[in-house]
């Protein structure tokens, strides 16, 4: 959007806006905290009050969100990730500049969507954002507002004077002053001259990019990225416009136009996934709303939906599908298996999400089937790609019967972990059997004090302690 002189002065004098500082909490960070809650919004789909955390939908323990909020919260700072130009070669006039190397981007869309850095390690989005160097911007000096004096910059008329003014502002490291000067230059210079001069003044350039994002001047920002030949940032800025489109069908059509933007091959595929996901969500939402209103489908009668599936992250969509459409054939759009194959969801994430959904419904038969595998000889075996200790934690969180808990605690391979879980969740038989197998008389005696007197567990402990067939270690 284009701002008039009055608009910019109002921006500068308004207490609502201020320059970026070292100590400020960036508005993007506060928005990030809100966006992380979107991943946890899957709790709204069911009727309960228990405190579900992000791990239920993330196999790595970090929150995983949609492209939408990942880009919204991180891309706004991507300009600050750019490395400074190596050096400015000598020039004879304002129009003769040496070609400077293009900066490289730190994050890709797919990295954000998967919760990975370019180096491949997992990290939360808040960690990713904290990697952005805050010193890309100059600080505000922190003086009380009453000590600032408003002065007119109109006396700086020549280009040379204006550029010297900007350089002095950068030298004093006052973010307020730099922003004020940039507003003045933006109003009094053509954009071609402004862009050309800022290209070799990286601190001021980053301030301008931050300022344009704050005031929403998307047109000038896009022009600046074109001038700088920052094609990925240009594409990213255009892509972010979908966040301003509320109508799902219009947003879907806009995303379709973003598929051809100049992203990397990997990120272009990710834009395609975003479009495909929203397209599918629109179909699922329309069908499920109809089924819910008809009142003839048991799952919707017992567990009415409390949120729309539209614009939800992929992992939340998978949870929704596992909750409401678990037994559907693979050929349907709402089938969890279909989602897994279409978006190449890893086994760990799929199993963890399906477990959370089916345990929430207390569908223990589905939980059992999720971990039962059969070899080529027809023998069945329990296998958990997420680790049985994690399975036990989720089952307990969803109030699984002790018989089921004990079955899965017994499947934990590490003996110490198994014993700790059994004690924590009061799986008495597992504790007794494990202590007996370890021939740990002292621990068994200590545990005897924790079971009810006269109970079957106490009798079992006494029988073990009096057994002549066990050679106790102590």
């Amino acid at each position: 959007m284009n701002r008039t002189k009055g608009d910019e002065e109002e921006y500068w004098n308004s207490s609502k806006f201020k320059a970026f500082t070292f100590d400020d909490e960036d508005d993007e960070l506060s928005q990030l905290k809100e966006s992380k809650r979107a991943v946890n919004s899957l709790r709204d789909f069911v009727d309960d009050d228990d405190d579900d955390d992000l791990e239920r939908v993330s196999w790595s323990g970090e929150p995983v969100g949609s492209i939408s909020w990942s880009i919204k919260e991180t891309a706004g700072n991507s300009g600050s990730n750019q490395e400074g130009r190596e050096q400015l070669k000598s020039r004879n006039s304002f129009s003769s500049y040496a070609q400077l190397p293009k900066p490289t981007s730190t994050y890709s869309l797919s990295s954000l969507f998967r919760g990975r850095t370019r180096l491949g390690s997992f990290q939360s989005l808040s960690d990713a954002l904290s990697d952005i160097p805050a010193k890309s911007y100059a600080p505000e000096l922190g003086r009380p507002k009453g000590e600032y004096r408003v002065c007119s910059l109109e006396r700086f008329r020549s280009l040379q004077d204006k550029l010297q003014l900007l350089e002095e502002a950068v030298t004093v490291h006052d973010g307020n002053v730099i922003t004020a000067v940039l507003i003045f230059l933006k109003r009094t210079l053509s954009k071609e001259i402004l862009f050309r001069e800022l290209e070799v003044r990286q601190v001021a350039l980053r301030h301008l990019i931050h300022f344009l994002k704050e005031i929403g001047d998307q047109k000038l920002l896009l022009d600046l990225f074109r001038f700088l030949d920052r094609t990925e940032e240009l594409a990213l800025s255009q892509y972010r416009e979908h966040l301003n489109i509320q109508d799902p069908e219009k947003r879907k059509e806009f995303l379709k136009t973003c598929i051809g933007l100049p992203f990397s091959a990997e990120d272009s595929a990710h834009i395609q996934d975003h479009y495909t996901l929203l397209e599918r969500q629109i179909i699922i939402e329309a069908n499920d709303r109809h089924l819910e209103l008809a009142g003839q489908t048991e799952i919707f009668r017992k567990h009415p939906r409390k949120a729309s599936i539209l614009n939800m992250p992929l992992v939340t969509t998978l949870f929704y599908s596992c909750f409401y459409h678990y037994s559907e054939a693979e050929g349907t759009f709402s089938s969890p298996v279909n989602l897994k194959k279409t978006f190449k969801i890893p086994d760990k994430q799929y199993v963890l999400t399906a477990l959370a959904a089916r345990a929430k419904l207390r569908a223990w038969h589905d939980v059992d089937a999720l971990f039962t595998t059969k070899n080529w000889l027809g023998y069945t075996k329990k296998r958990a790609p997420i680790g049985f200790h994690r399975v036990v934690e989720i089952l307990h969180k969803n109030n699984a019967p002790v018989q089921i808990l004990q079955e899965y605690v017994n499947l934990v391979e590490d003996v110490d972990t198994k014993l700790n879980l059994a004690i924590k969740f009061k799986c008495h038989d597992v504790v007794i059997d494990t202590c007996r197998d370890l021939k740990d008389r002292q621990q068994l005696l200590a545990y005897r004090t924790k079971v009810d007197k006269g109970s079957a567990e106490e009798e079992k402990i006494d029988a073990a302690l009096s057994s002549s067939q066990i050679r106790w270690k102590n």
Side-chain angles (χ1 to χ4, degrees):
M1 68 183 77
N2 292 321
R3 296 271 174 146
T4 64
K5 176 179 178 180
D7 291 333
E8 290 169 348
E9 289 178 350
E10 180 182 355
Y11 171 96
W12 182 243
N13 294 317
S14 169
S15 61
K16 178 181 178 183
F17 298 103
K18 59 182 179 179
F20 187 95
T21 73
F22 285 133
D23 299 322
D24 286 343
E25 179 177 352
D26 193 348
D27 287 342
E28 295 285 344
L29 276 175
S30 59
Q31 293 174 10
L32 171 61
K33 294 172 185 175
E34 295 298 322
S35 70
K36 287 169 69 176
R37 296 190 185 103
V39 183
N40 210 21
S41 63
L42 55 88
R43 70 177 65 176
D44 293 331
F45 294 136
V46 293
D47 252 325
D48 59 10
D49 297 318
D50 59 326
D51 185 23
D52 293 333
D53 58 21
L54 291 174
E55 289 185 347
R56 64 181 298 168
V57 293
S58 169
W59 73 97
S60 66
E62 284 82 22
V64 179
S66 66
I67 289 183
S68 302
W69 63 258
S70 296
I71 296 307
K72 179 180 179 183
E73 309 311 335
T74 307
N77 296 281
S78 62
S80 64
N81 277 320
Q82 309 300 327
E83 296 293 328
R85 305 294 174 118
E86 293 180 357
Q87 61 180 1
L88 174 61
K89 296 183 179 179
S90 59
R91 55 191 173 91
N92 297 322
S93 67
F94 288 121
S95 59
S96 59
Y97 288 87
Q99 276 289 46
L100 297 174
K102 287 177 57 180
T104 56
S105 177
T106 304
Y107 298 102
S108 66
L109 299 187
S110 53
S111 299
L112 293 168
F113 190 69
R114 296 295 181 188
R116 290 179 181 270
T117 65
R118 281 198 185 278
L119 297 179
S121 61
F122 280 99
Q123 65 175 181
S124 66
L125 200 54
S126 56
D127 292 336
L129 201 54
S130 68
D131 289 340
I132 296 169
K135 292 184 180 180
S136 296
Y137 300 94
E140 181 182 32
L141 294 184
R143 296 195 300 264
K145 290 186 178 180
E147 294 185 17
Y148 284 105
R149 290 183 298 172
V150 177
C151 60
S152 173
L153 303 179
E154 301 300 329
R155 65 188 181 89
F156 297 93
R157 296 183 179 277
S158 71
L159 178 60
Q160 183 178 356
D161 287 345
K162 291 175 181 178
L163 295 177
Q164 185 175 353
L165 176 66
L166 178 61
E167 289 171 357
E168 287 296 328
V170 171
T171 300
V172 298
H173 298 287
D174 188 330
N176 286 332
V177 174
I178 296 174
T179 305
V181 172
L182 285 171
I183 291 174
F184 170 65
L185 297 185
K186 175 176 173 287
R187 190 176 70 246
T188 59
L189 295 178
S190 69
K191 64 182 180 182
E192 290 79 11
I193 294 177
L194 177 64
F195 295 167
R196 185 187 69 198
E197 297 299 337
L198 292 184
E199 185 178 15
V200 293
R201 294 171 173 85
Q202 286 294 298
V203 172
L205 176 62
R206 287 190 285 268
H207 266 274
L208 180 64
I209 291 173
H210 183 77
F211 170 70
L212 294 178
K213 288 174 179 176
E214 266 202 342
I215 66 173
D217 194 340
Q218 186 71 4
K219 183 179 184 303
L220 188 60
L221 186 62
L222 292 177
D223 289 342
L224 176 57
F225 284 147
R226 287 191 187 95
F227 177 87
L228 298 172
D229 195 27
R230 295 186 181 179
T231 56
E232 287 193 22
E233 288 179 85
L234 174 62
L236 186 61
S237 292
Q238 289 181 274
Y239 168 71
R240 292 179 71 221
E241 282 296 292
H242 82 270
L243 297 168
N244 300 321
I245 304 173
Q246 301 302 317
D247 181 81
E249 287 289 346
K250 291 181 180 178
R251 178 180 284 201
K252 183 189 74 172
E253 291 307 311
F254 178 83
L255 288 173
K256 189 174 183 179
T257 67
C258 293
I259 294 174
L261 292 178
F263 289 109
S264 66
E266 183 182 17
D267 289 344
S268 293
H270 227 71
I271 298 294
Q272 175 69 61
D273 279 349
H274 189 185
Y275 167 78
T276 303
L277 179 62
L278 180 56
E279 182 181 44
R280 182 163 300 193
Q281 287 174 340
I282 291 172
I283 296 171
I284 296 173
E285 176 66 22
N287 183 63
D288 286 2
R289 190 189 306 117
H290 173 75
L291 291 175
E292 190 172 29
L293 290 175
Q296 297 179 356
T297 306
E298 183 179 7
I299 185 68
F300 290 114
R301 288 202 310 270
K302 287 186 175 181
H303 304 280
R305 303 184 311 148
K306 291 188 176 181
S308 166
I309 193 62
L310 295 175
N311 299 315
M312 285 293 181
L314 173 60
V315 70
T316 310
T317 306
L318 177 62
F319 178 89
Y320 178 98
S321 178
C322 289
F323 193 93
Y324 288 109
H325 302 281
Y326 192 67
S327 60
E328 286 187 6
E330 184 182 331
T332 62
F333 281 149
S334 50
S335 161
V337 177
N338 190 305
L339 283 172
K340 181 179 186 295
K341 290 187 175 181
T342 300
F343 297 101
K344 298 179 176 61
I345 298 173
D347 287 341
K348 288 184 177 180
Q349 182 174 351
Y350 178 81
V351 169
L352 183 57
T353 307
L355 171 62
R358 302 321 291 172
K360 180 68 64 179
L361 287 169
R362 302 181 66 80
W364 309 124
H365 176 75
D366 291 339
V367 170
D368 186 69
L370 192 62
F371 301 108
T372 302
T373 60
K374 185 180 293 187
N375 65 16
W376 63 280
L377 291 174
Y379 294 107
T380 59
K381 181 181 179 181
K382 288 286 197 303
R383 175 180 169 273
I386 60 174
F388 282 111
H389 65 286
R390 190 72 185 92
V391 174
V392 171
E393 296 279 358
I394 295 174
L395 291 176
H396 178 264
K397 181 183 295 185
N398 288 280
N399 302 311
V402 67
Q403 295 84 355
I404 293 177
L405 273 181
Q406 290 194 149
E407 177 185 354
Y408 284 93
V409 170
N410 262 325
L411 292 171
V412 176
E413 292 185 2
D414 182 78
V415 176
D416 290 335
T417 303
K418 178 198 295 186
L419 189 57
N420 289 334
L421 287 172
I423 294 172
K424 179 180 179 180
F425 299 134
K426 298 182 179 179
C427 298
H428 301 310
D429 286 345
V430 179
V431 176
I432 297 168
D433 292 343
T434 305
C435 289
R436 184 187 61 203
D437 294 342
L438 293 173
K439 299 179 175 58
D440 193 337
R441 182 182 181 85
Q442 293 302 318
Q443 185 152 347
L444 195 56
L445 283 169
Y447 196 72
R448 187 180 186 277
T449 65
K450 298 180 181 181
V451 300
D452 296 335
K453 289 190 177 299
S455 65
E457 289 79 13
E458 187 181 55
E459 293 179 5
K460 185 173 181 178
I461 293 174
D462 290 340
L465 291 171
S466 61
S467 175
S468 60
Q469 298 179 354
I470 302 175
R471 298 184 62 182
W472 300 99
K473 290 190 298 185
N474 43 37

